[in-house]
Amino acid sequence: MEIKEVFVMVIIPKGRLRSRYLLLSLLFLAVWEAVSGQVHYSVPEEAKHGTFVGRIAQDLGLVLEELVPRLCRVASKGSGDLLEVNLQNGILFVNSRIDREELCGRSLECSIHLEVIVERPLQVFHVQVEIKDINDNPPLFLVKEQRVLIYESRLPDSVIPLEGATDEDVGSNSIISYKLSSSEFFALEVKTNRDDNTQIGLVLRKSLDREKIPEHNLLLTATDGGKPELTGTVQLLVIVLDVNDNAPSFDQSEYEVRIFENSDNGTIVIRLNASDPDEGANREISYSFNSPVPPMIIDQFSIDSNTGEVTIRKALDFEKANSYKIRIDATDRGHPPMAGHCTILVKVLDINDNVPQISLTSLSLPVREDAPLGTVIALISVSDQDSGANGQVTCILSPHVPFKLVSTFKNYYSLVLDSALDRESVANYELVVTARDGGSPSLSATTSLSVEVADVNDNAPAFAQPEYTVFVKENNPPGCHIFTVSARDADAQENALVSYSLVERRVGERALSSYVSVHAESGKLYALQPLDHEELELLQFQVSARDAGVPPLGSNVTLQVFVLDENDNAPALLPPGSGSGGGAVSQPVARSVGAGHVVAKVRAVDADSGYNAWLSYELLSEAGSARSPFRVGLYTGEISTTRALDEADAPRQRLLVLVKDHGEPALTATATVLLSLVDSSSAPKASLWATARATGPEVALVDVNVYLIIAICAVSSLLVLTLLLYTALRCSAPPTEGAFEPGKPTLVCSSAVGSWSCSQQMQQRVCSGEGPPKTDLMAFSPSLPPCPVVVDVDERQDLNDRCAKVSLNFHN
């Protein structure tokens, strides 16, 4: 967030208005803190435990009562638990001792970055706490006594460099001033170079005389700029050497060298070249580190005493130290030896040798698949110990996933939801977060994060198909399993737990639940009672599947249960027969009739369907032998003569006709037919009597004259013409619906080579022989369920007879 700077000049007048202006100034400063985008506090180092830092809850706009329920906490990377928040009053206080020098070293800016994290919902606030320096460290010298060697021939105003004091404080607390004890021979010189490094030297005010004063004891006092002031002292022991009056000298007093970190051991940092105008042993120079030598210098560098080459002894690390100041002495071999001095400022250059570090905090998993866009999944922080471009880190997310990284602060990111989730498509995402710095070549680090998607009830149970067709034989045992429905729910756990139930409706006068039931868990359908094909040919209903989600989702499937016919009905004889018990039918027959003359007909029907309703007739009595003058049609039931009758034939013929269906096992009925053979003169009367019996027992015989016969013929002709016209119209009209649609009556005709079915809309064309037979007949397997619907038993028998004839013609 961008931090805005606001400059305010407040003029405080004298008098009673001063307090009001002061209050307005404080309010304006509070507003400036709010718009700055980040809360800043400051606290002095070494503050006691419990020291007030700031009202952090109030400044962040948090409600005190929600701090505990929302799990408010403070996180500080690398700073431990120095600061803490009191969740009761929302005050940020010092929790443990803060040592600024231990925390930040000699850095001018020292602050602790805090993350204030609250959850439900997840929020992150960044707080910067500046640690102010106090003057708690006095100036220190490396040794308690410095030995300074000065030749007596040293010219006045020459400067002998001294090792200055160091102060771990910063700012004004680290500004050191030096004071030398009074001396007529020496004075103190203090200089500040371009790098703000202070160099002190001992200035020779007048020539020395070793014979008079061989040693000089001085006290050097260093005072810092803090309040109160702190001081440090070192004893200077100045030893006056004799007569080598020219000291080696360097081209310049200070050298600056730049070298990359991680350079190989033995790499030459600089090759020094000091000169001495003396001759002989007095000009032979040896090089050495100026004493006292800091341990860090001895650990990192070495110097060749003869060549003056300063080399790397141990690999440099920019992250530990980015500069070194080395003091070098060039000492000749005179008697006494003389030394020249120079300073080498080694600046270590950074290389990209540190891999970025990735830290994951505050994971909020799993993620609901209906989570809104922008939901925070995790907080990610990255760091790199390098500097400059080598320490600038960018984060990317891979592979292509419905998430993205949003930068919330420098090197801080939030992993948020970028697009809608669907657990049924992807239930778990494996994310890879890659942090890459700006070095050349760049270094990168990766970390993996597994994001699980939590299920919500967004899928209804689904059946494999919208409709099922089930075939069940009639007369089934109660409670038998007839079918199993199964629906699949793409959700998980209880959202995918499916239960089944019937969609209740009425079937005729009864409820659907009185016929079938469904098991709620398995989906198995059971027939609760025996089904009767003659009563119910098709049972159509729906089964509902519903899951256990909140709210529950459901779907329906339609089942068509066809009740298959079994041969459970015997053939039934029609009047004027006496039924299946084998009653007698009397019929007069003239002896003059020839062979093939139909003398009687047995009519029967079967309540079953298909093969079970296909009837055949045969003679069982002795009259059915080869000598018998009568026979019965196999499928028509018509009794006809096999030859001309003669006087040898008995006057009364008793025929026993067996009517049998084609079921397995076949069921039968018997009919007794009595034929009376009469002379030709009485044949018309007998014929009229037989016609009367066929029409009904209540019709009386009367004499018929010619006019009555003509009238009857005319009426019959008109009736036949009407029926022919009606049949022609019905056969010419195309059918509007399928022959086997539910509710359409169907006639089934069977034979040894197959079966044929025809609806009542087509039965005239098929059974009367009109039109092409091939287009009007449809073959089907005997196992398929027929759907016969016949209203009138006479009409049904006629259709069976006609279809039997069609079957015979088909065989022929």
Side-chain angles (χ1 to χ4, degrees):
M1 181 179 294
E2 181 183 0
I3 300 178
K4 301 179 180 179
E5 295 185 1
V6 180
F7 297 90
V8 180
M9 180 175 68
V10 180
I11 301 176
I12 304 177
K14 297 182 178 179
R16 289 179 297 178
L17 295 179
R18 175 177 297 178
S19 61
R20 296 184 181 180
Y21 279 93
L22 181 59
L23 179 60
L24 290 175
S25 300
L26 293 176
L27 290 175
F28 192 88
L29 289 176
V31 172
W32 180 86
E33 281 291 334
V35 301
S36 66
Q38 183 180 4
V39 178
H40 294 266
Y41 298 110
S42 63
V43 63
E45 67 173 330
E46 306 293 340
K48 295 181 179 180
H49 172 75
T51 300
F52 173 87
V53 178
R55 301 185 182 277
I56 191 169
Q58 176 180 339
D59 296 338
L60 295 178
L62 300 175
V63 180
L64 287 178
E65 291 78 9
E66 295 181 357
L67 294 181
V68 174
R70 295 185 64 185
L71 304 178
C72 178
R73 64 185 186 277
V74 173
S76 175
K77 183 177 180 181
S79 300
D81 57 347
L82 300 179
L83 301 172
E84 191 56 63
V85 175
N86 188 330
L87 300 181
Q88 305 301 323
N89 54 23
I91 292 177
L92 182 66
F93 64 92
V94 177
N95 189 42
S96 59
R97 175 179 174 269
I98 302 176
D99 188 348
R100 186 186 186 282
E101 289 72 29
E102 179 181 351
L103 188 64
C104 302
R106 293 187 54 80
S107 176
L108 294 177
E109 296 180 2
C110 184
S111 61
I112 298 176
H113 178 76
L114 301 178
E115 287 183 347
V116 180
I117 304 173
V118 292
E119 300 186 5
R120 303 173 186 171
L122 179 64
Q123 289 182 290
V124 179
F125 303 91
H126 297 277
V127 178
Q128 200 83 12
V129 179
E130 180 184 2
I131 308 302
K132 293 186 175 180
D133 182 58
I134 63 173
N135 193 26
D136 58 341
N137 292 283
L140 293 177
F141 292 91
L142 293 178
V143 294
K144 294 183 179 180
E145 181 181 86
Q146 289 191 27
R147 299 170 64 87
V148 181
L149 302 178
I150 301 178
Y151 292 102
E152 63 177 349
S153 59
R154 193 76 177 249
L155 297 176
D157 297 327
S158 61
V159 179
I160 300 94
L162 298 177
E163 184 69 23
T166 60
D167 194 328
E168 294 182 1
D169 295 324
V170 297
S172 61
N173 295 329
S174 67
I175 298 176
I176 301 175
S177 60
Y178 295 89
K179 182 179 179 182
L180 186 66
S181 59
S182 61
S183 174
E184 64 177 320
F185 294 96
F186 299 97
L188 189 65
E189 182 184 73
V190 180
K191 290 183 179 180
T192 301
N193 59 14
R194 58 187 177 183
D195 289 330
D196 293 330
N197 290 321
T198 301
Q199 294 182 343
I200 60 175
L202 196 62
V203 180
L204 183 61
R205 299 176 65 179
K206 65 178 183 179
S207 300
L208 300 175
D209 188 353
R210 179 183 173 280
E211 286 71 22
K212 293 182 178 180
I213 307 177
E215 294 182 354
H216 297 267
N217 289 306
L218 304 174
L219 181 65
L220 179 62
T221 303
T223 305
D224 63 21
K227 292 182 180 181
E229 298 177 346
L230 299 179
T231 61
T233 60
V234 64
Q235 192 73 30
L236 298 179
L237 178 59
V238 180
I239 300 175
V240 181
L241 302 178
D242 201 14
V243 183
N244 187 11
D245 55 349
N246 288 292
S249 62
F250 293 94
D251 296 336
Q252 57 193 66
S253 61
E254 183 176 296
Y255 298 90
E256 182 177 314
V257 179
R258 298 175 181 269
I259 189 168
F260 285 102
E261 64 172 331
N262 295 336
S263 297
D264 296 335
N265 294 343
T267 301
I268 298 176
V269 178
I270 191 173
R271 181 180 286 106
L272 298 174
N273 186 18
S275 60
D276 194 331
D278 294 334
E279 295 182 351
N282 292 332
R283 66 180 301 172
E284 296 178 4
I285 300 173
S286 63
Y287 301 89
S288 62
F289 293 120
N290 181 264
S291 181
V293 185
M296 182 172 58
I297 301 298
I298 296 178
D299 189 43
Q300 294 291 149
F301 303 95
S302 63
I303 186 170
D304 190 310
S305 60
N306 295 323
T307 63
E309 290 182 351
V310 179
T311 58
I312 296 176
R313 184 176 184 181
K314 182 180 179 182
L316 303 177
D317 190 352
F318 175 86
E319 287 70 40
K320 292 183 178 179
N322 55 15
S323 65
Y324 297 90
K325 185 165 62 175
I326 307 173
R327 299 185 185 275
I328 303 296
D329 291 342
T331 307
D332 61 20
R333 302 184 185 276
H335 296 282
M338 298 189 67
H341 310 279
C342 74
T343 300
I344 303 174
L345 183 61
V346 179
K347 292 188 176 181
V348 181
L349 303 180
D350 181 48
I351 64 173
N352 194 23
D353 60 343
N354 288 281
V355 177
Q357 303 294 322
I358 304 175
S359 177
L360 295 175
T361 59
S362 300
L363 295 179
S364 181
L365 298 175
V367 183
R368 287 172 56 91
E369 62 176 320
D370 62 347
L373 302 184
T375 299
V376 178
I377 310 301
L379 301 179
I380 301 174
S381 61
V382 294
S383 61
D384 195 313
Q385 296 181 5
D386 294 321
S387 64
N390 297 331
Q392 295 178 359
V393 182
T394 57
C395 263
I396 59 174
L397 187 65
S398 62
H400 182 68
V401 291
F403 305 95
K404 66 178 179 179
L405 291 176
V406 177
S407 177
T408 58
F409 194 67
K410 181 181 179 181
N411 292 339
Y412 288 87
Y413 298 86
S414 293
L415 178 65
V416 301
L417 183 61
D418 188 39
S419 61
L421 300 175
D422 185 8
R423 190 204 66 85
E424 289 69 41
S425 299
V426 181
N428 190 78
Y429 291 91
E430 295 296 333
L431 310 182
V432 177
V433 179
T434 303
R436 187 177 301 276
D437 60 29
S440 180
S442 63
L443 301 178
S444 64
T446 61
T447 186
S448 298
L449 174 62
S450 180
V451 178
E452 180 184 357
V453 182
D455 181 56
V456 297
N457 192 27
D458 57 348
N459 289 279
F463 292 94
Q465 57 192 66
E467 184 177 286
Y468 293 94
T469 300
V470 182
F471 300 100
V472 180
K473 288 186 177 182
E474 65 174 335
N475 302 322
N476 56 281
C480 72
H481 173 243
I482 61 174
F483 193 67
T484 300
V485 293
S486 178
R488 180 183 177 274
D489 197 311
D491 294 321
Q493 298 178 354
E494 56 272 350
N495 293 333
L497 187 61
V498 181
S499 60
Y500 304 91
S501 63
L502 291 176
V503 178
E504 189 62 65
R505 71 178 186 88
R506 303 293 295 179
V507 180
E509 298 297 329
R510 301 170 61 180
L512 174 65
S513 55
S514 65
Y515 287 95
V516 292
S517 67
V518 62
H519 191 272
E521 296 180 0
S522 65
K524 291 185 176 181
L525 284 166
Y526 298 94
L528 299 181
Q529 63 179 11
L531 301 176
D532 188 358
H533 172 80
E534 288 72 36
E535 177 188 347
L536 183 66
E537 297 182 8
L538 173 62
L539 181 60
Q540 184 171 329
F541 57 93
Q542 287 187 326
V543 175
S544 174
R546 189 170 296 272
D547 59 30
V550 179
L553 301 177
S555 62
N556 296 341
V557 66
T558 300
L559 281 90
Q560 288 187 337
V561 178
F562 288 92
V563 182
L564 302 181
D565 182 56
E566 286 190 338
N567 194 25
D568 57 348
N569 291 280
L573 297 174
L574 298 178
S578 59
S580 61
V585 177
S586 180
Q587 180 74 26
V589 179
R591 286 183 179 272
S592 60
V593 297
H597 182 74
V598 178
V599 297
K601 184 173 183 178
V602 177
R603 295 177 179 271
V605 294
D606 196 312
D608 295 322
S609 301
Y611 275 95
N612 298 329
W614 183 24
L615 304 180
S616 63
Y617 304 84
E618 60 179 288
L619 292 177
L620 296 180
S621 62
E622 294 181 357
S625 63
R627 297 178 55 193
S628 175
F630 301 100
R631 66 171 181 172
V632 64
L634 179 60
Y635 299 110
T636 63
E638 293 179 345
I639 299 175
S640 60
T641 57
T642 59
R643 57 179 173 80
L645 300 177
D646 54 27
E647 295 297 332
D649 295 322
R652 293 184 63 85
Q653 297 283 334
R654 185 176 184 274
L655 304 179
L656 183 61
V657 180
L658 176 67
V659 184
K660 181 173 63 175
D661 58 26
H662 284 71
E664 290 292 340
L667 300 180
T668 63
T670 58
T672 302
V673 180
L674 299 178
L675 299 179
S676 299
L677 303 184
V678 298
D679 296 332
S680 300
S681 59
S682 58
K685 185 180 291 188
S687 179
L688 289 175
W689 177 82
T691 305
R693 285 296 301 268
T695 306
E698 297 179 359
V699 179
L701 296 177
V702 295
D703 294 334
V704 182
N705 55 29
V706 177
Y707 299 102
L708 181 56
I709 293 175
I710 295 174
I712 292 174
C713 291
V715 173
S716 299
S717 301
L718 183 59
L719 178 60
V720 171
L721 181 61
T722 303
L723 290 176
L724 292 176
L725 182 60
Y726 175 75
T727 302
L729 293 176
R730 288 293 302 271
C731 292
S732 61
T736 57
E737 298 180 352
F740 292 99
E741 293 182 358
K744 291 294 184 294
T746 304
L747 176 64
V748 178
C749 303
S750 306
S751 72
V753 296
S755 302
W756 294 267
S757 65
C758 57
S759 66
Q760 287 185 349
Q761 293 179 355
M762 300 174 64
Q763 64 189 12
Q764 295 294 332
R765 294 177 59 191
V766 175
C767 298
S768 62
E770 297 177 5
K774 291 184 179 180
T775 59
D776 296 330
L777 295 179
M778 180 174 66
F780 68 94
S781 172
S783 61
L784 291 177
C787 300
V789 176
V790 177
V791 178
D792 184 71
V793 294
D794 291 336
E795 182 183 3
R796 177 179 182 138
Q797 179 60 33
D798 291 339
L799 293 177
N800 285 338
D801 295 342
R802 296 173 188 173
C803 289
K805 292 179 179 179
V806 172
S807 175
L808 293 176
N809 293 333
F810 182 83
H811 283 292
N812 296 332

